[in-house]
Amino acid sequence: MKRPSALVPVIAGFSIMLILMAGVTAIGVTYIRILSNQLTAIVAERNQKAELATTMRAVHEARYQSLMLASNMADPFLRDEEILRFSRMAMEFIQARDQFLSLPLDESEFSLWTRIRQEVRAVEAIAEQIIALSQEDRLNEARNLVRRNMLPTQESMMREWTGLVAMQRAKNQAAMDEARQASARARHLTVALSAGAFAVGLVIAVFVIRLSRRLGQDLYEEKERAQVTLHAIGDAVVRFDADQRVRYLNPVAEQLLGFSAPTALDQPVGDVLRLHGKGNSDDLSKVLVEDTLAGNRASLPDSTCLLSAPGLEYEVEGSCAPIHTTEGEIMGGVLVLRDVTEAREMHRRLLWQADHDSLTSLMNRRAFEERLARILGSKRSGDFPLSILYIDLDHFKPVNDTGGHAAGDELLRQLANLMQSRIRDSDFLARMGGDEFAIVLNACPDTKAEQIAEDIRDSIAKHRFEWQGRTFPAGASMGVVHVPPHWSTLDECLAAADAACYKAKQQGRDNIVVHQH
């Protein structure tokens, strides 16, 4: 019987080694390709859908803000300019919409998009009505339509937009989970085959080294893709190490901070990132970095400002999170900043417009009634009497009819400034609508209130308004109501003041009538 050749085990072992090597290589290449394709799909499609959905949502939000601003503008030229801006933003939406629809949509995405399209049509229909009313100077009707119809429809549409963005993020996360599962399967199979190959001989070790180099190359390429992603992010990203030194700035951070990445590298964070509270010089950067390196996630206070290297100040919001090593140790942190200067300025402007008359910059009727109601509802002792002056201009209509609306508006502004100069800092003046004004004299004795009323009436009577070479007289009828503590409600006080003013006007121009309880 022939003895088996000693080469058989070697050949068999070498064959097994080749099979294992081929298997490991095939699995590695296959799963790396799968991971690469999945990550490419996430970046190229899911992120694009999410960005387009976010863009369309932002455009609709901006269009709503623009429409609301236009409906509150008394100046027709500014209003027309704002309406043109509203129309231009429609092109931005159409471009984003066409790009979104050019991407492949599954059934759930298409169904949600169909609902959003219906909401968009409803919003646009209401917007056309509001624009038409605004162009006809029917601003009260336009604002009412914004409040009653536009606002709930807008909120419903924005919820649908939010749902679309959330859907894209959820699908993005699902794709990432699938990639992680594929990565886990690749690791398990690679470890199993490598363990079997190790028993064959030193060749398997060489193969493992080569595989490690391949994985290292993949990791390097993955790092490069992550670097590209950070450069493409629209927010400022600042990364620092455990020694509180800057390790990375993306292009947005370079522009916001006023430092180039090479200049900022290895610099202390406090020298590059200068954060402080609005209205004070308290340094927030040091506290933020130290809290992050202690292992805590931190968000910037709402009033945070950033002072850039050129000396420009921005209002910012953002958050900072620690970066951990695979062993769980903190190796640094990453801060994400967003410039919200323009958004907050727009918000403050809208808040101001909600409480003020756009023509005279005085308090409007709604704000006046809210403030007066708070005073009437508070605990006031007999030592702090209250008086209300209701003022109706007597010669406003001839000025408005003769000189036009521009003359009437200028007269209202001049008389508003005149009346404001005749009252105390503790008092407040409001335009109630048309040519009617009201003043609350807080903590003012009755005799002093009547003296102030006469002073205001006489000042208005002496005022001579000049317009296009003509001089117009001015005058005012006043109703004065002395409100003792806990006497009456807001509506009754205003009704008494209006009645007294009406009585003064009936008796003759430039009169004052004091309401008697």
Side-chain angles (χ1 to χ4, degrees):
M1 182 177 179
K2 186 177 181 181
R3 297 178 60 185
S5 172
L7 292 177
V8 172
V10 175
I11 295 173
F14 189 75
S15 300
I16 295 172
M17 179 193 68
L18 291 177
I19 293 173
L20 291 175
M21 288 180 63
V24 171
T25 302
I27 290 173
V29 171
T30 301
Y31 277 92
I32 287 173
R33 184 182 297 112
I34 291 173
L35 290 175
S36 178
N37 291 339
Q38 289 176 338
L39 290 175
T40 301
I42 292 171
V43 175
E45 180 179 314
R46 295 300 182 193
N47 283 353
Q48 187 178 5
K49 287 183 181 179
E51 289 172 2
L52 291 173
T54 302
T55 299
M56 290 187 287
R57 183 186 187 279
V59 168
H60 268 289
E61 178 65 23
R63 277 167 61 83
Y64 171 73
Q65 296 294 340
S66 176
L67 191 62
M68 187 169 63
L69 186 60
S71 67
N72 282 279
M73 285 182 172
D75 190 323
F77 297 101
L78 294 177
R79 187 166 61 245
D80 289 342
E81 183 178 354
E82 191 63 32
I83 291 174
L84 286 175
R85 179 173 172 267
F86 171 85
S87 301
R88 286 195 298 269
M89 285 189 287
M91 295 303 301
E92 299 178 20
F93 172 79
I94 292 173
Q95 293 174 358
R97 181 202 62 189
D98 292 341
Q99 294 180 36
F100 183 82
L101 293 177
S102 66
L103 298 173
L105 303 179
D106 59 25
E107 184 177 351
S108 60
E109 291 172 331
F110 186 78
S111 175
L112 183 54
W113 169 255
T114 302
R115 295 202 307 271
I116 291 175
R117 184 171 57 185
Q118 294 173 354
E119 297 283 356
V120 169
R121 290 174 177 173
V123 168
E124 293 299 324
I126 299 173
E128 291 177 1
Q129 299 177 33
I130 295 171
I131 291 174
L133 292 173
S134 299
Q135 291 175 337
E136 295 173 5
D137 283 335
R138 297 161 64 185
L139 298 182
N140 286 334
E141 296 180 35
R143 287 191 290 269
N144 289 335
L145 193 59
V146 170
R147 185 172 54 256
R148 291 195 311 268
N149 295 10
M150 184 72 170
L151 180 57
T153 308
Q154 174 76 11
E155 290 176 346
S156 175
M157 181 186 67
M158 296 309 290
R159 284 193 295 269
E160 296 291 353
W161 279 121
T162 301
L164 181 60
V165 174
M167 174 184 289
Q168 297 303 326
R169 290 175 177 169
K171 291 185 176 182
N172 195 345
Q173 185 60 43
M176 291 292 292
D177 292 340
E178 183 178 352
R180 283 194 290 269
Q181 293 173 5
S183 177
R185 290 193 295 269
R187 281 198 306 272
H188 295 158
L189 289 174
T190 301
V191 169
L193 293 176
S194 297
F198 182 78
V200 177
L202 186 60
V203 179
I204 298 300
V206 175
F207 170 76
V208 171
I209 292 174
R210 292 179 179 176
L211 180 61
S212 298
R213 290 177 179 175
R214 175 66 181 276
L215 293 176
Q217 179 64 26
D218 291 339
L219 182 60
Y220 174 78
E221 293 175 358
E222 194 64 35
K223 179 182 177 182
E224 289 296 312
R225 285 194 289 267
Q227 200 84 345
V228 171
T229 302
L230 287 175
H231 276 65
I233 289 177
D235 296 337
V237 179
V238 180
R239 180 167 58 86
F240 53 89
D241 59 20
D243 296 327
Q244 301 187 18
R245 294 189 175 275
V246 176
R247 305 306 304 167
Y248 172 78
L249 296 180
N250 72 342
V252 178
E254 291 180 302
Q255 182 178 2
L256 192 63
L257 299 179
F259 285 92
S260 65
T263 303
L265 189 64
D266 290 330
Q267 294 293 324
V269 178
D271 293 347
V272 176
L273 183 68
R274 291 176 285 182
L275 299 172
H276 62 88
K278 189 174 182 64
N280 60 65
S281 57
D282 296 341
D283 184 16
L284 301 178
S285 305
K286 183 177 180 181
V287 177
L288 178 70
V289 172
E290 290 178 349
D291 198 28
T292 302
L293 293 178
N296 302 316
R297 296 179 63 91
S299 296
L300 296 177
D302 293 337
S303 59
T304 301
C305 292
L306 169 70
L307 183 63
S308 67
L312 300 177
E313 186 175 78
Y314 303 93
E315 295 185 58
V316 295
E317 63 181 18
S319 60
C320 192
I323 301 176
H324 298 272
T325 63
T326 54
E327 291 78 18
E329 297 181 357
I330 297 175
M331 57 180 292
V334 60
L335 171 65
V336 180
L337 288 175
R338 182 180 298 109
D339 179 11
V340 294
T341 306
E342 185 176 349
R344 288 183 179 174
E345 180 61 30
M346 176 64 74
H347 180 67
R348 284 192 290 266
R349 187 186 307 170
L350 292 176
L351 290 179
W352 187 91
Q353 290 176 348
D355 291 335
H356 291 78
D357 174 53
S358 59
L359 176 63
T360 62
S361 297
L362 297 177
M363 190 183 302
N364 60 23
R365 186 185 190 98
R366 183 187 66 81
F368 176 85
E369 291 181 353
E370 287 181 356
R371 187 168 176 181
L372 179 57
R374 288 197 300 269
I375 294 176
L376 294 174
S378 64
K379 296 181 179 179
R380 297 187 298 112
S381 65
D383 295 333
F384 296 97
L386 175 74
S387 295
I388 301 175
L389 277 58
Y390 206 92
I391 305 164
D392 190 345
L393 302 181
D394 291 331
H395 300 281
F396 174 74
K397 190 174 186 303
V399 174
N400 205 50
D401 293 342
T402 304
H405 291 296
D409 291 347
E410 180 60 25
L411 176 61
L412 290 175
R413 280 191 288 265
Q414 292 183 12
L415 294 182
N417 292 332
L418 187 149
M419 288 186 283
Q420 187 72 54
S421 68
R422 295 296 188 274
I423 62 177
R424 305 165 302 171
D425 292 340
S426 59
D427 306 328
F428 54 94
L429 167 68
R431 183 186 178 196
M432 305 300 283
D435 58 352
E436 296 180 348
F437 297 82
I439 301 174
V440 170
L441 304 176
N442 197 17
C444 182
D446 295 351
T447 55
K448 181 64 177 178
E450 294 175 16
Q451 180 182 346
I452 293 175
E454 292 175 358
D455 180 45
I456 293 175
R457 180 202 58 189
D458 295 341
S459 298
I460 294 176
K462 294 176 182 178
H463 184 77
R464 290 295 178 266
F465 176 66
E466 296 184 358
W467 184 263
Q468 296 180 348
R470 297 188 58 183
T471 302
F472 298 89
S477 299
M478 293 190 187
V480 180
V481 176
H482 301 309
V483 184
H486 312 298
W487 169 63
S488 188
T489 64
L490 170 67
D491 291 338
E492 291 171 338
C493 288
L494 292 179
D498 187 47
C501 183
Y502 178 77
K503 185 175 180 181
K505 202 171 187 67
Q506 294 297 109
Q507 291 178 2
R509 292 180 174 178
D510 302 339
N511 278 332
I512 297 177
V513 171
V514 179
H515 175 79
Q516 303 295 333
H517 302 301

